Amino acid sequence: MAYIQQMNGDYYGSKETLTEALPYIRKDKNYLAAVNNFFGIADKELSIYDDAIYYYSEALKGVKDESSKQAPLNNIAVVYIQQKKYDKAIKILESLLNKNSSLAKPPTKRKLRILDNLGFAYFKKGMNEKGLALMLESLNLRNQTEDVYGSIESCLHLAEYYSKTDTKKSNQYAQLAYQNATKLNSIDERLEALSFLMTNNSIRNTTYAQKYVFLNDSIIKIRNNFKNKFAKIKYDSKKEKDENQKLRLEKAENLLALKDAEKEKIIFIATFIILLFLGAYLKKHLDNRNRIGKIKTAYDTETRIAKDIHDELANDVFHAITFTQTQPLTNENTKETLIQKLDHIYTRVRGISKENNDIDTGENFSANLKEMLSTYNSNTTNVIINSIEKINWDAIDDIKKIAVYRVLQELMVNMKKHSAASRVVVKFDSNQKMIIIDYVDDGQGSIKNKINKNGLQNMENRILAIKGSIIFDTEPNKGFKVKITLPK
């Protein structure tokens, strides 16, 4: 199950499933290396590099032969490259290449992977000629052995190598990687190839940006649907087990109740006979006994009703608990999502966020956009919206309306999460050809060269996709400004 989740991009869910597998490994340690390797893969994809190296190292302890150690060692070297620890990566990869030098021809996919990674590590360290030679050798051998999937990684490495010096060659390798990734339906590699094509091509970058945004939005939706479906399957399975256990308990309780009823019947008959002799005293005693029985019956009835009500109302709480068990609470985005779920349980009849709802691009668009922006007003933040009515939204394409709505929504979300702004101004203006939107807040700002790393790349891609432009202007403790222009 954990492997299936990783194939579908659900790395947090995969780690949760692997954790469920750990108790079984205590009985059979044959799977320990595989589980640790999967932990390492998940953490590598989540950019938790130190943890990834730890789990890959643990996987090494669980393998017995030298051949099985090569995959975890190669994975560790790849993480070192991501951490810019090139000397460590090169030392491991050179050792692995020497061990594979005696392998029979044609070379194995493992050797070609090591060869390509070593060349890429040389290049990142600044040993360009040596690195290029190894990467080209690996690509040629992969083509000869029809290792199509392996050739994708080679082409992406070469696209990065030439991106600074020869954009034409960089584009050729990026195009080849994109074509092969498309054939194999490898989404992440397609996105990486498109990112090179967007960066290298100043003329067609809008086309590539549109492809990137469309592909990225599609895979996010597909993976989210998979996560929901997978979680529902696990939930239904657990619910079925719980219901079966409940039925077994109810059956046992019914058998016990029948035995109790039989005993009570015998006691009642004996008591009735005794009552004939003891008279009023035993009659009073019997009345007291019946009163206690009624109290117990009423108590059992109330407890059962309370349990039924509790189980019904607990469904929403159970979903929230399931969320906390499948997502890491150290992640700030996860904490915010959990807060939204708890607030939903509290209010029941109103939603906190309309972020994923369909956007009404009809005659109510202006009012809905203004309402969305206004929802970010609070006791500590004043949102001012100027001249939104000046724009003739009916003349604007629906795609452009959606892009504007989503970008402004992302700006407001980022403001709420990170800027601590007390005042936000969103001003709308237009001329004969263009629509201009100015966003200004007085928050804590950011460092300019880190803007895209802070999640604003998607905004730029959305605006580029509609042939517009977006300019970010910010400095620490001097607020945040954004200027958006787009053609009518």
Side-chain angles (χ1 to χ4, degrees), residues 309-320:
I309 294 174
H310 175 270
D311 287 346
E312 181 179 351
L313 294 177
N315 284 336
D316 287 343
V317 177
F318 180 81
H319 287 300

Side-chain angles (χ1 to χ4, degrees), residues 21 85 112 129 155 178 210 224 243 261 293 345 347 352 425 450:
K85 299 177 180 179
L112 298 182
E129 293 184 3
C155 288
Y178 180 80
Q210 289 176 327
N224 284 338
E243 288 177 350
I345 294 169
T347 60
I352 291 297
V425 178
K450 290 187 177 180

